């Protein structure tokens, strides 16, 4: 866990105070660039005080099974897990060099979603990665306004991204992901570009992780019928804290902070890890927004039918990782999410 951060700390003990100053965030060009981009784009999102209808909402689905198990929203898990690249690019500094990752999630009937990532270290402080996401909505009937069948058509979404993370200090890391997103329905298509920005503070001695992320900054460059839609902007903050020598770790994440047109509680996702050993964990989480969204009616006290609750477990060996999670992301079905990673 955190082999890259530990290497940084070892290097710092072997250098003088003057040498360590060369690694400071204020002196390194990459650190300056990441800090400037993050602050500029984060401030530019103030125009989105209210959220409208968005396209490419497959980007809201969890990719990491560990994140899914912790409520579906988490940006602070500092583990050797390549799937964190999809949730907070700053976290990939803790991922082993040359890790390849494959993911699959069962979704509603007829639809499937898969993704992949590759993470590679650059020196002691940098890490880059590439990602791909694919959502296939299956085959649907094509009809006229008079309900006359003309045949079938398919729909799918694709996102391709490149990420870079840099350890600004021994405890603070910044990351950026740039991605191209496309959607295809029948013979029509749309195209968008987006950026994810992340910061993570990790204190290993206190087992404390704090993060802030701005997801999906950007917009469409090609729209269906010239009707441009927003991509799903999401500002998030989170904390993960271990309980000393106890095998417990708790997480709290607040999402969609750019939209306050709903109750405070619906911004929260909470989760807990039970660390059975250094290699095995089980996790449970609850997402208050998802539980509310799955209710048939807000006014009659109807059940969310288990939505919001999520469970999962993971096995992390030296070179092989396997994570599995259960959650509900659509009213018609529950979902299973699988992650497999291997370090080359």
């Amino acid at each position: 866990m955190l082999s890259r951060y530990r290497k940084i700390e070892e290097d710092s003990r072997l250098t003088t105070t003057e040498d360590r100053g060369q690694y400071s965030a204020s002196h390194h060009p990459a650190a300056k660039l990441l800090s400037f981009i993050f602050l500029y784009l984060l401030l530019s999102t103030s125009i989105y005080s209210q959220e409208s209808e968005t396209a490419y909402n497959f980007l809201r689905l969890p990719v990491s099974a560990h994140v899914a198990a912790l409520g579906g929203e988490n940006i602070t898990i500092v583990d050797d897990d390549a799937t964190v690249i999809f949730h907070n690019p700053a976290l990939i500094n803790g991922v082993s060099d040359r890790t390849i990752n494959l993911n699959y999630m069962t979704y509603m009937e007829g639809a499937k979603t898969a993704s992949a990532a590759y993470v590679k270290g650059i020196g002691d402080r940098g890490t880059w990665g590439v990602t791909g996401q694919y959502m296939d909505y299956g085959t649907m009937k094509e009809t006229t306004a008079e309900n006359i069948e003309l045949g079938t058509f398919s729909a799918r979404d694709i996102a391709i991204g490149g990420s870079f993370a840099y350890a600004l200090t021994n405890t603070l890391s910044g990351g950026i992901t740039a991605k191209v997103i496309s959607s295809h329905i029948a013979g029509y298509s749309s195209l968008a570009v987006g950026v994810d920005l992340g910061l993570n503070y990790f204190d290993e001695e206190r087992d404390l992780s704090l993060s802030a992320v701005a997801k999906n900054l950007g917009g469409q460059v090609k729209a269906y019928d010239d009707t441009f839609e927003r991509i799903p902007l999401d500002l998030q903050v989170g904390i993960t804290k271990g309980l000393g020598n106890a095998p417990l770790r708790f997480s709290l994440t607040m999402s969609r902070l750019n939209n306050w047109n709903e109750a405070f509680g619906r911004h929260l996702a909470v989760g807990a890890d039970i660390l059975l050993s250094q290699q095995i964990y089980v996790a449970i989480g609850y997402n208050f927004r998802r539980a509310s969204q799955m209710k048939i009616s807000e006014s009659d006290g109807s059940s969310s039918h288990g939505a919001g609750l999520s469970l999962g477990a993971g096995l992390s060996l030296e070179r092989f990782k396997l994570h599995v999670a259960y959650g509900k992301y659509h009213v018609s079905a529950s979902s299973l999410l699988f992650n497999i990673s291997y370090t080359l």
Side-chain angles (χ1 to χ4, degrees):
M1 177 178 172
L2 288 185
S3 57
R4 199 172 311 287
Y5 276 90
R6 290 196 177 110
K7 181 65 166 61
I8 293 169
E9 291 171 356
E10 290 170 4
D11 289 346
S12 68
R13 286 195 292 270
L14 295 175
T15 57
T16 65
T17 303
E18 182 179 355
D19 292 334
R20 286 198 300 270
Q22 296 175 1
Y23 285 123
S24 68
S26 61
H27 288 83
H28 200 285
K32 286 183 178 180
L33 179 61
L34 280 172
S35 300
F36 174 78
I37 292 174
F38 184 87
L39 290 173
Y40 176 79
L41 290 178
L42 189 60
L43 289 173
S44 72
T45 64
S46 61
I47 62 173
Y48 298 108
S49 59
Q50 295 184 348
E51 185 181 63
S52 65
E53 293 297 320
T54 58
Y56 316 108
N57 285 306
F58 76 105
L59 296 173
R60 294 197 188 277
L61 294 174
V63 174
S64 166
H66 198 169
V67 168
L70 293 171
E73 303 283 2
N74 190 288
I75 55 174
T76 47
I77 293 296
V78 184
D79 280 343
D80 187 2
D81 180 359
T83 61
V84 296
I85 194 172
F86 294 96
H87 299 276
N88 181 356
L91 297 178
I92 62 173
N93 273 331
V95 178
S96 293
D97 184 28
R98 298 191 304 160
T99 295
I100 188 168
N101 159 252
L102 299 173
N103 314 295
Y104 181 81
M105 186 174 78
T106 63
Y107 198 49
M108 59 183 179
E109 184 176 356
K112 52 185 178 290
T113 178
S115 57
Y118 178 75
V119 176
K120 178 75 174 68
I122 306 175
D124 295 329
R125 291 184 169 257
T127 309
W128 63 264
V130 292
T131 60
Q133 292 174 262
Y134 178 77
M135 169 69 86
D136 187 339
Y137 298 94
T139 301
M140 291 161 272
K141 293 180 180 179
E142 182 179 1
T143 64
T144 66
E146 293 76 27
N147 203 32
I148 299 173
E149 275 194 40
L150 301 178
T152 60
F153 68 95
S154 60
R156 64 188 185 277
D157 293 327
I158 300 171
I160 304 295
S163 302
F164 175 71
Y166 190 82
L168 304 171
T169 70
N170 289 352
T171 56
L172 184 65
S173 183
I176 180 171
T177 296
K179 51 194 172 185
V180 177
I181 314 148
S182 65
S183 180
H184 304 267
I185 301 176
Y188 301 91
S189 64
S190 67
L191 185 69
V193 293
V195 173
D196 296 347
L197 300 168
L199 285 174
N200 173 253
Y201 169 84
F202 180 67
D203 186 331
E204 188 173 7
E205 290 186 2
R206 297 168 60 195
D207 200 2
L208 172 67
S209 176
L210 303 169
S211 290
V213 172
K215 292 184 179 180
N216 303 318
L217 296 159
Q220 283 188 317
V221 294
K222 177 187 177 184
Y224 293 117
D225 295 327
D226 293 326
T227 303
F228 286 84
E229 300 174 287
R230 293 179 180 176
I231 64 176
L233 174 67
D234 194 350
L235 304 185
Q236 302 183 350
V237 295
I239 179 172
T240 292
K241 180 71 173 71
L243 294 185
N245 295 324
L248 293 172
R249 187 169 60 184
F250 294 95
S251 297
L252 184 149
T253 306
M254 295 188 66
S255 61
R256 305 196 195 185
L257 299 181
N258 50 298
N259 174 26
W260 287 99
N261 295 330
E262 54 190 3
F264 176 84
R266 295 181 70 180
H267 294 268
L268 299 177
V270 295
D273 285 308
I274 302 173
L275 308 174
L276 302 180
S277 70
Q278 290 187 344
Q279 292 79 33
I280 301 173
Y281 73 87
V282 294
I284 185 171
Y286 193 79
N287 188 304
F288 291 88
R289 172 181 286 104
R290 190 158 293 120
S292 178
Q293 288 175 336
M294 295 296 175
K295 290 181 179 180
I296 296 175
S297 172
E298 292 283 353
S299 59
D300 62 3
S302 61
S303 170
S304 61
H305 303 286
L309 180 68
S310 54
L311 304 165
L315 171 67
S316 182
L317 304 179
E318 184 178 358
R319 301 181 74 177
F320 175 79
K321 279 85 177 174
L322 172 65
H323 303 267
V324 181
Y326 161 88
K328 192 167 185 177
Y329 309 106
H330 193 274
V331 293
S332 67
S334 298
S335 294
L336 291 174
L337 181 54
F338 303 92
N339 301 152
I340 296 176
S341 297
Y342 185 77
T343 301
L344 302 175

